[in-house]
Amino acid sequence: SQKIEQNSEALNIQEGKTATLTCNYTNYSPAYLQWYRQDPGRGPVFLLLIRENEKEKRKERLKVTFDTTLKQSLFHITASQPADSATYLCALDSTSGTYKYIFGTGTRLKVLA
Amino acid sequence: GAGVSQSPSNKVTEKGKDVELRCDPISGHTALYWYRQSLGQGLEFLIYFQGNSAPDKSGLPSDRFSAERTGGSVSTLTIQRTQQEDSAVYLCASRPRDLRGYNEQFFGPGTRLTVL
């Protein structure tokens, strides 16, 4: 069955360092992948989308890579700040090009001042 | 403009009671989704609407769950005879018309349901 794995353990890093979060998937080939941020008590907020034919996408301090051979996406936050502390979710379309999304369980990031 | 809103923000009910959760999507967004998020879990897809039609209800956990959407806008998720395992945060999301699904989803703040 289709499965998405994100590191369920919290990631603690020092302010100013680069945070790297991992999203691995099995048993399907998504057309695109999205990353969302979720703060406690709030709904997820969209950050970035990367398509299957793109290797890398950047937005300000954020960078996402998508390796369809490894079936993995990496999400990087450079020059991290305490305000970046949140849970980060990856989401993929369940079958190529359709409307339905499968979300990972998320990785909780804590940036220490 | 206004984002996705959901009501109530919190709902505490007794086992066996029925509950209705409401979602007001962003105006003009034709696609609407309901998800469930349990503590420490990812988002579990429940149902998807395109306009007033629900082409995919495959995520509804049981026949106690139903949803409708009227006027291509407001949606209501109804849970009948609630059980304690229904306790979770119910999230609604909308997105503009793009059947390829490339558009981002805009989420509401969620309704936290507690079944005693």
Side-chain angles (χ1 to χ4, degrees):
Chain A
S1 62
Q2 298 168 344
K3 190 175 180 181
I4 299 176
E5 290 185 346
Q6 293 186 257
N7 191 343
S8 59
E9 295 183 9
L11 177 64
N12 293 339
I13 64 166
Q14 271 317 117
E15 181 177 9
K17 300 291 186 183
T18 296
T20 299
L21 285 67
T22 304
C23 176
N24 295 299
Y25 59 93
T26 57
N27 294 332
Y28 67 127
S29 299
Y32 62 92
L33 184 150
Q34 300 183 3
W35 283 88
Y36 288 78
R37 168 182 174 144
Q38 186 173 25
D39 291 284
R42 295 179 174 267
V45 175
F46 172 81
L47 296 174
L48 280 169
L49 176 150
I50 186 167
R51 293 180 171 81
E52 60 181 336
N53 60 349
E54 297 175 322
K55 296 295 184 184
E56 181 179 298
K57 182 73 73 73
R58 291 176 184 262
K59 179 182 177 182
E60 298 173 353
R61 293 184 297 110
L62 308 180
K63 184 178 85 172
V64 172
T65 62
F66 194 8
D67 188 325
T68 55
T69 300
L70 292 178
K71 296 187 180 296
Q72 179 182 80
S73 174
L74 299 179
F75 177 80
H76 305 274
I77 306 175
T78 59
S80 59
Q81 305 166 0
D84 295 326
S85 299
T87 295
Y88 292 86
L89 305 166
C90 67
L92 297 88
D93 59 320
S94 61
T95 55
S96 182
T98 62
Y99 59 84
K100 189 173 176 178
Y101 303 79
I102 305 294
F103 280 82
T105 54
T107 297
R108 191 168 74 250
L109 172 67
K110 185 170 183 179
V111 181
L112 306 171
Chain B
V4 178
S5 61
Q6 293 186 245
S7 61
S9 55
N10 281 285
K11 177 71 176 178
V12 180
T13 189
E14 294 180 348
K15 178 180 173 181
K17 300 284 189 181
D18 297 351
V19 295
E20 281 191 355
L21 311 180
R22 177 186 169 108
C23 172
D24 282 88
I26 293 172
S27 178
H29 282 194
T30 57
L32 186 148
Y33 298 76
W34 282 99
Y35 294 90
R36 179 168 71 174
Q37 188 173 34
S38 302
L39 188 64
Q41 301 298 311
L43 275 67
E44 176 188 4
F45 169 85
L46 297 179
I47 188 169
Y48 158 74
F49 286 93
Q50 181 59 41
N52 292 334
S53 301
D56 190 343
K57 305 178 183 180
S58 64
L60 295 177
S62 73
D63 59 7
R64 297 186 295 105
F65 288 72
S66 63
E68 65 175 13
R69 189 179 185 193
T70 55
S73 180
V74 172
S75 177
T76 303
L77 176 69
T78 301
I79 309 173
Q80 296 178 309
R81 304 181 302 282
T82 51
Q83 303 294 314
Q84 289 182 332
E85 61 262 28
D86 299 334
S87 296
V89 175
Y90 289 82
L91 290 160
C92 173
S94 71
R95 63 171 176 79
R97 180 182 181 86
D98 180 348
L99 298 180
R100 296 296 303 281
Y102 289 150
N103 290 33
E104 65 186 272
Q105 294 182 77
F106 295 81
F107 282 84
T111 294
R112 180 175 296 278
L113 175 65
T114 303
V115 182
L116 302 177

